[in-house]
Amino acid sequence: MSEHPQTDAATTAPESTEATYDASAMEAKWRGVWDRLELFVADDESPREKKYALTMFPYPSGDLHMGHAEVMALHDVIARYWWLRGYEVLNPMGWDSFGLPAENAAIRNDEHPATYTYANIETQYESFRRYGVSFDWTRRFNTSDPEYYKWTQWLFTQLYAKGLAYRKNSPVNWCPVDQTVLANEQVVDGACERCGAEVTKRELTQWYFRTTAYAQEFLDGLDDLAPTWPSKVINAQRNWIGRSEGAHVSFDIAGHEPVKVFTTRPDTLWGATFMVVAADAKLAADLVSDEQRQALEDYLVEVRKASDIDRLATDRPKSGVDLGITATNPVTGEQIPVWASDYVLADYGTGAIMAVPAHDQRDLDFAKVFGLPVRRVVDTGEENPEETYVATTGNGVYVNSGPLDGLADKSEGIRRAIELLEADERGTGTVNFRLRDWLLSRQRYWGAPIPIVHCAVDGEVAVPVEQLPVLLPELKGADLKPKGTSPLGGATDWVSTTCPTCGGPAQRDTDTMDTFVDSSWYFLRYVSPHDATRAFDSELADAWGPIDLYVGGDEHAVLHLLYARFFTKALRDLGLITWDEPFTSYLSQGKVLNQGRKMSKSLGNGVNLGDQLAEFGVDAVRLTLVFASPPEDNIDWADVSPAGSLRFLQRAWRLSGDVTSEPGVDVTTGDLALRKVTARVITDASTLVESHRFNVMVARTMELVNAVRKAIDSGCGGADPAVREATETVAMLLSMVAPYTAEEMWERLGHQPSVARVTWPVVDQALLVEDSVTCVVQVKGKVKGRLEVSPDISDSELEALALADDAVQRALDGQTVRKVIVRAPKLVSIVV
Ligand code: ANZ
C-alpha cells in the first residue's frame, strides 16, 4: 500500500552514499531504523518531567498538503526540542474521521463512508511517516472507530446526567444544501461555514450542550491565557462570548404578564418612548391584538428570509408591525406603544427591548420611519437628536429624567437607575452574554449516534455504559442522501429498541453528534488510547496534562478551542480531570500561499506536497517551511527556495565527512574561537526555540555551519576537537528541523543512532564571554537596531536576523520591504 517502501538502506543503499547526499536513500534508511528504535514512544512510567505537545489532528480528505507540511514541521521543532532537553514527551497523532466529506463521497460513489475514510487515513499515515514527524504512533486512533465513539457517547451521557446536555425546541440555523442544522459558531456572515450556502431558520427540536453555564469562566480564563495565546484568538473568543452589563426592566401590559427587556442603558429609561419585540419571538404572537394578527403573520414571512447579520445591520431600512397594544413605562407611568420588528433578535437578551430613540440609532431610525416620539434624556452638548435624527450616545447631563436630572456621569446614572429599579422591584442589574448553548445534533449519518432512546413510559433515557457503543447501522450510498431528517431514521430495525429502564418498546434517537464533539476531548483519549474500560485514565490525564503547547490554525479560534474548553470544564466538574484549561499555550501558524494567494485549484497555483518532497527531499521542504518566516506569518512558496535549503543541508552534511577526530575526544583543547561560536549558538538556540522563533534558530545554525567550514578550510583543520564539537552541535540542532540529514551526519560522525535522543549539551559559561561584532541595522537610512553577531556570519543569515529583530519589525510597521542591502558582519540597510 505504501508509495514509499520501508527499505532499510543500511543494507541496501549503494556505496556511493558515502560521498553524495542522497535524500531519498536517507529517508528510506532511517525510517526503518527509527521504527526499530521506537524513539518517540512516550513512557507513562518515566521518571523524567513530562511534556505534552499536541497539534490538531487532520480530517482524512485526500493526502496531506502544504498546510499540513508547514504545521507539522513547526510543531516538530518543539516536540523534538523537548526530547533533547530531557523531557518525556507525549506527541500523539490520530484522525478526526467522522464528517460530511466522507458521507458526500459515499453518496457519489455508492459506497460506505468508511471506505473513503479509512483509505485516506492510510495514505495520510504513510505520508506522515515519510515526513519524519516525532509522533508516538502507538497511540494512534480514529474518532470514527467504535472503540473511540463508545466513549464520546459515554461522555454525552455523563453531561446529560449533569444537565449539561439537553433537548429543546427552538428556531435553529438550517443549511439547505447540507440539509442539517448548524451551531451558531458554524454560521459565518450568514452562510454555512462548510458549503457557503445561505443559512435559514427552522423551528426544530434539537440537542444542546449548556456551554452558557461556563460563560463567565470562559472569559475569566482568557485573562490567564492572554500571555501564551495569540491575541487574535483571545479577542475572537471574548467577542464571541460577548459579555454586556446592564439591567432587566419589567414593563406592565394590561391583560398580560409583565414583559422584561434587557438594556445596557437603564439610565435612559425616561426616554423610552416605545417597546419593540422580536417579530419571530413567541412573545410577539402572544401580545399581538386581534386586529394586527394578520399583519404580523404577513411580516413574518419576510423576516424568516433574513439572517441575523442582516437583521442587526445598522444601515438596513427599518421595518415592523404595530402590535396594537401599549405598555407602561415603569418610571414615567406613560403608556407607550409596543411594536414588532426584525432588528430585535428573538434569542438575545429577552427578545424584547425598550426603545430609546434619542440615544440609540437603530431605535431612532425606526421612530423616524413610523413617526414615533423621540425624547432626549441626556444632553451631550451635541445637536438635539429630536431634530437631527442623529442619536447621541456619549456622556452628558441628564434632562427629563426625574431623579437623575442634573447628574453628569453615565456610569453613575446607570448605577442609580438600577438602584431605583431594584428598590421597588421593577428591575434588576444583570449581565447578559452573547454566547448561546452549543447545538450539537446533526441530521447526517457519519457521526456518533446520540445515545438516547425515547420511551413512551420513561421519556428520554440515556443508554447505559454496558450497552455502548450504540453502533451506527450499516447504511451506504443513496440511503445516506440528505432529506431534512436523519438518514438513521431509515434504518427502522435499528431505530426500534427496548427501553433500558422499563424494557418496553422504545425508539433510538436518530441524530448524530456534530464532529466537533469528537475533537473536544481527543487530547484526553491519547493518555490511555487503548483502555477498553473507560474514556481515559484520570491519573494519566493529570500526569500528562494540560497540554503544554497546542499548534494549529486560527480558523479554529472560536469553534474548536471553545468547545474543547467547555469539555475540559465540564469533565473537571464531573471529577474526571483536575485541570481548568486544556491548552496552556497555543501557537497558531500562518498559511502557505503561492504568488500572494491562497493555493487553489481554480487559480491554478496549487503546489503539490508530494512533488516537492520528491524533488527536494523531506528535509529541504521542512527546513524551507521553518526558515521562511516566524511561525505565525504566512509563507509564500513563490518567495522561498527549497533548492537553497537543499544546498545548505548538503553543506552541513559534508562537514560530517571532514571531521577526522574520534568521537568522545577532549574538546577543551579545541580551537577557542570556534568553541565560542558553538557555545553561543547552543545557548541562543534554546531561547529561540522556547520563544517560538524557529526561523532565527535556523539562521544561527547556518552561522555555525559557516564557522565550521571556515575553520576546516582555512583554520585549524578537520582534526581539531572544536570542529567535531561544532559539527555535532549542527547535527543536534538540525535534528529538530531536518531529521534525516541530522541522523546521517550523526552516524558519519561515528555515533550510534539516534541524534534525536541525545542530551542537550551543558555550555561552559566561560565560552560565552564573546568577541562579537556589532551590526547596525538601518531602516530608510536611519539606525533602528543593533545586533551582536559572529564575525563569520553570512549575508543571508544576517539578513534573516535583522528582519526578525523586534526593533526592526517595529520600525517596519508592516511596510513592504523593497530591498535589503547586506554588508556582513557590520551593516544591514532596509529599503521600504
Ligand atoms: C435601551 C438602550 C438605550 C440601549 C441606549 C442601548 C442604547 P449589547 O451591548 O450588544 O448587549 N438589545 C437588547 N436585546 C436586544 C435584542 N434581542 N436584539 C437587538 N437588540 C437588543 O446591546 C444591548 C442593547 O441592545 C440593549 O440596550 C438594547 O438596547 C439592545 F441608549 O436598551 B439598549
Side-chain angles (χ1 to χ4, degrees):
M1 189 181 291
S2 163
E3 258 182 274
H4 322 291
Q6 306 275 303
T7 45
D8 183 346
T11 50
T12 59
E15 282 297 312
S16 64
T17 50
E18 274 303 297
T20 55
Y21 176 98
D22 180 344
S24 68
M26 278 184 332
E27 288 168 23
K29 166 180 163 183
W30 287 105
R31 272 203 300 280
V33 178
W34 291 338
D35 278 353
R36 277 203 304 282
L37 295 178
E38 297 192 335
L39 295 171
F40 306 114
V41 175
D43 178 4
D44 296 330
E45 308 294 325
S46 168
R48 302 166 183 251
E49 198 180 319
K50 292 183 166 60
K51 286 278 189 189
Y52 189 167
L54 186 66
T55 179
M56 291 177 181
F57 62 165
Y59 177 78
S61 55
D63 201 350
L64 300 183
H65 52 64
M66 291 302 286
H68 293 118
E70 184 201 12
V71 62
M72 299 304 154
L74 296 169
H75 168 80
D76 211 27
V77 174
I78 282 280
R80 287 175 175 268
Y81 171 76
W82 280 338
W83 281 114
L84 294 170
R85 296 307 307 235
Y87 294 101
E88 190 68 23
V89 184
L90 174 56
N91 182 22
M93 180 44 72
W95 277 270
D96 188 14
S97 51
F98 269 139
L100 278 182
E103 192 165 335
N104 292 336
I107 295 167
R108 258 194 328 272
N109 308 329
D110 191 25
E111 60 184 23
H112 194 280
T115 311
Y116 168 96
T117 305
Y118 288 93
N120 282 338
I121 287 174
E122 280 320 302
T123 306
Q124 292 194 350
Y125 171 64
E126 290 304 331
S127 298
F128 268 135
R129 288 173 28 84
R130 176 183 188 191
Y131 203 57
V133 192
S134 63
F135 291 130
D136 175 354
W137 287 114
T138 67
R139 293 177 187 249
R140 150 187 192 188
F141 60 75
N142 312 306
T143 58
S144 56
D145 299 341
E147 298 76 23
Y148 182 85
Y149 74 72
K150 167 177 180 161
W151 299 112
T152 305
Q153 291 174 333
W154 179 77
L155 289 169
F156 177 94
T157 63
Q158 300 309 295
L159 297 186
Y160 179 72
K162 262 249 162 188
L164 290 171
Y166 69 94
R167 210 158 75 118
K168 76 167 177 199
N169 189 15
S170 69
V172 296
N173 302 308
W174 179 259
C175 172
V177 171
D178 290 337
Q179 293 269 308
T180 188
V181 300
L182 300 172
N184 281 350
E185 289 83 347
Q186 290 164 328
V187 181
V188 179
D189 294 339
C192 170
E193 176 226 18
R194 226 171 224 303
C195 71
E198 194 174 331
V199 170
T200 57
K201 289 270 180 185
R202 270 202 178 183
E203 187 83 22
L204 286 172
T205 302
Q206 297 289 327
W207 287 96
Y208 293 83
F209 282 136
R210 206 177 295 283
T211 41
T212 52
Y214 295 99
Q216 188 60 49
E217 208 195 320
F218 286 145
L219 268 186
D220 295 342
L222 291 176
D223 294 338
D224 298 331
L225 295 172
T228 48
W229 277 35
S231 52
K232 248 202 303 199
V233 175
I234 297 275
N235 291 338
Q237 291 221 355
R238 273 211 183 103
N239 289 338
W240 189 259
I241 297 162
R243 183 182 198 274
S244 295
E245 282 180 25
H248 279 147
V249 183
S250 280
F251 285 70
D252 287 335
I253 293 179
H256 196 277
E257 292 282 287
V259 170
K260 232 194 244 176
V261 303
F262 171 70
T263 175
T264 47
R265 295 293 306 272
D267 57 320
T268 61
L269 188 47
W270 286 263
T273 51
F274 57 100
M275 259 180 79
V276 187
V277 177
D280 52 340
K282 188 170 165 290
L283 182 62
D286 288 351
L287 290 174
V288 69
S289 67
D290 290 339
E291 297 74 49
Q292 287 297 86
R293 188 169 303 277
Q294 190 56 48
L296 177 64
E297 272 165 27
D298 294 344
Y299 178 55
L300 269 175
V301 176
E302 291 310 304
V303 171
R304 293 224 165 85
K305 291 181 192 156
S307 72
D308 285 2
I309 305 273
D310 295 339
R311 291 175 58 165
L312 286 174
T314 39
D315 53 356
R316 195 157 172 265
K318 294 287 171 283
S319 60
V321 172
D322 185 347
L323 291 180
I325 56 160
T326 59
T328 315
N329 180 319
V331 292
T332 64
E334 286 165 296
Q335 289 301 306
I336 58 174
V338 184
W339 284 68
S341 174
D342 66 356
Y343 81 93
V344 174
L345 300 179
D347 61 356
Y348 186 69
T350 64
I353 66 155
M354 61 182 214
V356 184
H359 306 296
D360 182 296
Q361 191 62 47
R362 286 177 305 162
D363 296 345
L364 187 55
D365 294 341
F366 193 85
K368 190 174 178 187
V369 173
F370 295 106
L372 294 161
V374 180
R375 185 188 311 138
R376 174 166 75 167
V377 288
V378 183
D379 183 355
T380 60
E382 292 155 285
E383 284 180 80
N384 192 340
E386 291 169 33
E387 282 127 38
T388 59
Y389 283 97
V390 177
T392 58
T393 56
N395 236 324
V397 181
Y398 289 92
V399 292
N400 301 320
S401 295
L404 299 192
D405 277 353
L407 200 71
D409 178 66
K410 186 151 122 185
S411 43
E412 179 58 14
I414 292 174
R415 201 188 60 74
R416 281 222 216 150
I418 292 176
E419 216 170 70
L420 287 166
L421 289 166
E422 286 181 344
D424 37 356
E425 295 179 1
R426 285 170 301 171
T428 46
T430 188
V431 172
N432 193 57
F433 291 94
R434 183 159 292 122
L435 183 71
R436 294 285 83 118
D437 283 340
W438 169 13
L439 196 176
L440 72 110
S441 43
R442 296 289 177 275
Q443 292 68 51
R444 296 296 301 242
Y445 173 75
W446 193 229
I450 289 183
I452 293 284
V453 300
H454 302 278
C455 166
V457 179
D458 296 298
E460 283 167 8
V461 181
V463 178
V465 67
E466 322 72 82
Q467 294 177 26
L468 295 177
V470 176
L471 287 173
L472 275 169
E474 281 295 314
L475 298 181
K476 63 178 194 121
D479 294 340
L480 305 179
K481 278 219 172 102
K483 29 189 171 301
T485 56
S486 174
L488 294 185
T492 45
D493 290 350
W494 179 88
V495 173
S496 29
T497 182
T498 49
C499 169
T501 306
C502 70
Q507 313 280 304
R508 288 195 189 285
D509 199 289
T510 55
D511 286 351
T512 53
M513 294 188 224
D514 181 0
T515 54
F516 278 101
V517 182
D518 310 327
S519 54
S520 291
W521 74 280
Y522 78 114
F523 45 91
L524 287 161
R525 185 66 183 168
Y526 284 135
V527 305
S528 53
H530 311 300
D531 193 334
T533 65
R534 54 193 157 173
F536 56 87
D537 179 326
S538 295
E539 268 175 40
L540 287 175
D542 258 1
W544 286 111
I547 285 88
D548 294 283
L549 178 66
Y550 197 25
V551 182
D554 56 17
E555 67 275 22
H556 294 296
V558 174
L559 288 154
H560 165 57
L561 291 181
L562 195 63
Y563 294 155
R565 294 182 70 205
F566 167 72
F567 261 74
T568 300
K569 291 175 192 305
L571 299 187
R572 176 202 60 198
D573 290 347
L574 285 161
L576 294 171
I577 48 174
T578 56
W579 6 304
D580 297 319
E581 289 287 345
F583 313 120
T584 307
S585 125
Y586 180 54
L587 172 64
S588 97
Q589 90 280 359
K591 294 190 177 57
V592 189
L593 313 174
N594 192 19
Q595 292 150 351
R597 320 202 28 195
K598 211 177 141 194
M599 292 187 194
S600 88
K601 268 205 192 106
S602 57
L603 291 173
N605 68 343
V607 175
N608 180 279
L609 175 61
D611 295 347
Q612 299 295 312
L613 296 180
E615 187 171 353
F616 303 104
V618 168
D619 281 355
V621 171
R622 289 180 55 150
L623 181 83
T624 304
L625 289 164
V626 174
F627 184 50
S629 67
E632 303 80 9
D633 292 2
N634 291 340
I635 297 173
D636 195 322
W637 199 248
D639 296 344
V640 296
S641 169
S645 298
L646 181 57
R647 278 196 302 278
F648 163 71
L649 290 172
Q650 288 164 337
R651 205 143 42 90
W653 170 87
R654 274 199 302 277
L655 297 177
S656 60
D658 292 346
V659 173
T660 55
S661 60
E662 289 299 310
V665 66
D666 176 12
V667 293
T668 56
T669 60
D671 177 73
L672 188 61
L674 182 58
R675 294 206 69 212
K676 282 188 163 188
V677 178
T678 307
R680 171 56 58 200
V681 171
I682 294 171
T683 309
D684 290 355
S686 53
T687 320
L688 291 166
V689 173
E690 276 163 30
S691 56
H692 304 164
R693 293 158 77 200
F694 308 143
N695 58 325
V696 188
M697 185 273 288
V698 171
R700 300 306 306 263
T701 308
M702 291 175 167
E703 184 188 329
L704 183 58
V705 167
N706 288 347
V708 192
R709 176 46 59 209
K710 202 163 150 199
I712 294 173
D713 292 351
S714 56
C716 41
D720 191 299
V723 167
R724 166 168 285 279
E725 182 186 33
T727 308
E728 289 183 354
T729 301
V730 169
M732 181 193 74
L733 295 174
L734 275 185
S735 77
M736 295 183 277
V737 185
Y740 292 105
T741 309
E743 290 290 13
E744 197 72 22
M745 288 179 70
W746 195 242
E747 189 184 59
R748 279 159 58 93
L749 285 162
H751 293 291
Q752 292 295 315
S754 154
V755 66
R757 294 295 304 269
V758 301
T759 306
W760 194 270
V762 179
V763 169
D764 177 355
Q765 294 301 306
L767 293 170
L768 295 175
V769 185
E770 241 292 39
D771 26 38
S772 58
V773 182
T774 304
C775 169
V776 168
V777 187
Q778 298 178 338
V779 177
K780 289 198 274 189
K782 291 212 179 71
V783 177
K784 291 294 176 186
R786 290 198 162 76
L787 303 168
E788 289 302 311
V789 297
S790 148
D792 302 318
I793 195 162
S794 74
D795 283 359
S796 62
E797 291 144 24
L798 189 57
E799 176 175 336
L801 286 177
L803 289 172
D805 184 70
D806 287 342
V808 173
Q809 278 299 324
R810 271 196 305 278
L812 288 173
D813 192 25
Q815 300 173 81
T816 313
V817 174
R818 291 260 167 269
K819 197 167 162 198
V820 184
I821 301 156
V822 187
R823 301 272 176 271
K826 293 251 166 95
L827 175 77
V828 177
S829 178
I830 302 169
V831 185
V832 297

